[in-house]
Amino acid sequence: MNLQRPFQVVAPTLDGDVLTLLARADRPLTGRAIARESGASHGGVQRALGHLVGEGIVTRERAGRAFLYRLNRGHLAARWIEGLASLRLELIDRLRGTVAAWQVSADAVVLFGSAARNEAGQRSDIDLLLIRPATVDYDDPVWREQVRALESAAATWTGNDARVLEYAADEIAKEEAVLDIAAAEGIELHGSLRRLLRTARRRGA
Amino acid sequence: MTPRTTTCTQAIKAGRMRKAEQFADAAETIREFADHEADIGDAYVTLLIHAGIAAADVICCEALGEHAHGESHTDAVELLRRVRPDGSDLGIALGSLLGAKTRAGYSHQPVNKETRVRSTRAVDKLLRAARDRYR
């Protein structure tokens, strides 16, 4: 699925992108702002808004020479629209819940790459960085099964391939650009990669 | 999720088996001729990864009549896990190789000894299972 455009799962039209922007917005938006954010034409956005206002799911109010649009959060469909618009947050919640329940706890788990930057497309991988405790062997069967199940679950939840990048805690002191990138742009799902890196590099220095 | 697959033919199966053996032989050759195993670690493991993926395709072809298609690591491992009776172990072996592939794609560090040893073991297991089944 495309985490940036979640309505593509059920409604691959501009209406879905317009609803996503309105559901995520904490203030009303002009048609021009929606066109800019969605990358769609102004005419296309106006047609979509006309249809959605007709359905009552979007409200329109005049503000000087422009119109302001907002999601009608009292509409019967609003709850499900808000749910679809927040699928990326739902994914993060599920990943956090899964790794928090692990029998062999990870030192850190980070979602990084395009899904973390909110730039993921339909075919983007779900990139997960795992820091395995130094006391846990790579081949530990419980650990391996947890990792496999996490990859499988993430793929099932999204339809995208999940790629796990795994390091043991005693490997991270070495210069690894990808660890710095994951620490800078990633979403921490479990533990703190930033703290682990600081500690490991202080010890290694 | 339903793994994306391709139906196997005898030609596909034979071709993948040949590649599995060829990549494994090439890996062994460069290891034998290297002065220090660490110097050729990345090339060695890359060849093992290709050998393991091809061997997994042969196993799936023989057991399921289809093999994973495309770039998805999850699809490849999940399909292999369906093979009876040893799919679970074989899936772990393939997962280990694909994990090394992911890491090679991100890291600037040479592959370490632990990964070389682990990848060798994983390919041995997959190749043995492919040879046992291949007809």
Side-chain angles (χ1 to χ4, degrees), chain A residues 2-191:
Chain A
N2 185 331
L3 286 168
Q4 251 193 307
R5 304 177 67 193
F7 272 79
Q8 296 284 314
V9 171
V10 290
T13 63
L14 182 54
D15 292 25
D17 292 343
V18 170
L19 285 170
T20 300
L21 286 166
L22 290 172
R24 289 174 177 171
D26 53 7
R27 58 190 163 72
L29 299 174
T30 63
R32 201 166 293 281
I34 294 169
R36 194 173 53 242
E37 288 292 314
S38 65
S41 71
H42 190 245
V45 167
Q46 287 302 333
R47 279 191 295 280
L49 284 167
H51 166 242
L52 295 168
V53 168
E55 294 291 339
I57 186 64
V58 169
T59 61
R60 176 169 57 194
E61 59 193 86
R62 184 175 281 284
R65 289 171 54 196
F67 284 105
L68 289 173
Y69 297 89
R70 70 173 82 221
L71 186 74
N72 172 10
R73 296 188 194 269
H75 195 283
L76 286 172
R79 181 178 150 202
W80 284 275
I81 287 165
E82 287 169 335
L84 278 170
S86 61
L87 284 185
R88 183 168 160 273
L89 297 178
E90 172 70 17
L91 170 65
I92 292 166
D93 278 352
R94 288 193 188 191
L95 291 169
R96 281 198 173 121
T98 301
V99 295
W102 275 2
Q103 190 182 336
V104 179
S105 186
D107 280 357
V109 181
V110 177
L111 174 69
F112 71 109
S114 58
R117 295 192 303 268
N118 203 15
E119 294 170 358
Q122 189 192 20
R123 298 172 68 86
S124 298
D125 296 331
I126 306 295
D127 294 308
L128 295 161
L129 172 68
L130 264 59
I131 307 298
R132 187 177 75 249
T135 51
V136 177
D137 189 65
Y138 178 91
D139 292 320
D140 181 296
V142 176
W143 174 265
R144 288 266 57 86
E145 177 53 24
Q146 289 177 165
V147 174
R148 186 209 61 78
L150 177 70
E151 284 179 305
S152 179
T156 301
W157 294 334
T158 61
N160 300 54
D161 199 24
R163 299 280 170 104
V164 164
L165 179 61
E166 182 175 330
Y167 287 86
D170 52 11
E171 291 180 302
I172 64 173
K174 293 175 197 165
E175 195 79 18
E176 281 286 4
V178 65
L179 297 178
D180 289 326
I181 292 168
E185 71 172 25
I187 296 169
E188 294 196 324
L189 302 173
H190 183 81

Side-chain angles (χ1 to χ4, degrees), chain B residues 22-135:
Chain B
Q22 184 188 122
F23 283 126
D25 286 347
E28 188 52 32
T29 302
I30 65 161
R31 194 182 66 81
E32 278 175 9
F33 281 93
D35 290 333
H36 302 286
E37 207 173 312
D39 295 345
I40 48 81
D42 288 287
Y44 174 69
V45 169
T46 299
L47 288 166
L48 291 183
I49 291 165
H50 284 296
I53 293 169
D57 286 346
V58 173
I59 297 164
C60 289
C61 279
E62 288 291 359
L64 309 169
E66 56 186 353
H67 70 87
H69 173 76
E71 294 293 310
S72 169
H73 291 185
T74 317
D75 280 357
V77 171
E78 289 303 309
L79 190 70
L80 190 57
R81 279 172 53 81
R82 294 182 188 175
V83 172
R84 294 289 172 264
D86 50 353
S88 186
D89 281 351
L90 296 172
I92 287 171
L94 181 62
S96 159
L97 287 169
L98 296 175
K101 185 169 181 262
T102 300
R103 188 156 153 171
Y106 280 109
S107 176
H108 68 279
Q109 297 279 5
V111 68
N112 59 26
K113 184 180 178 189
E114 189 194 10
T115 304
R116 293 200 304 273
V117 171
R118 193 189 308 136
S119 300
T120 306
R121 273 205 311 263
V123 165
D124 285 348
K125 180 175 281 191
L126 289 164
L127 258 184
R128 218 169 26 244
R131 287 174 187 141
D132 287 349
R133 287 173 164 89
Y134 181 66
R135 287 185 301 273

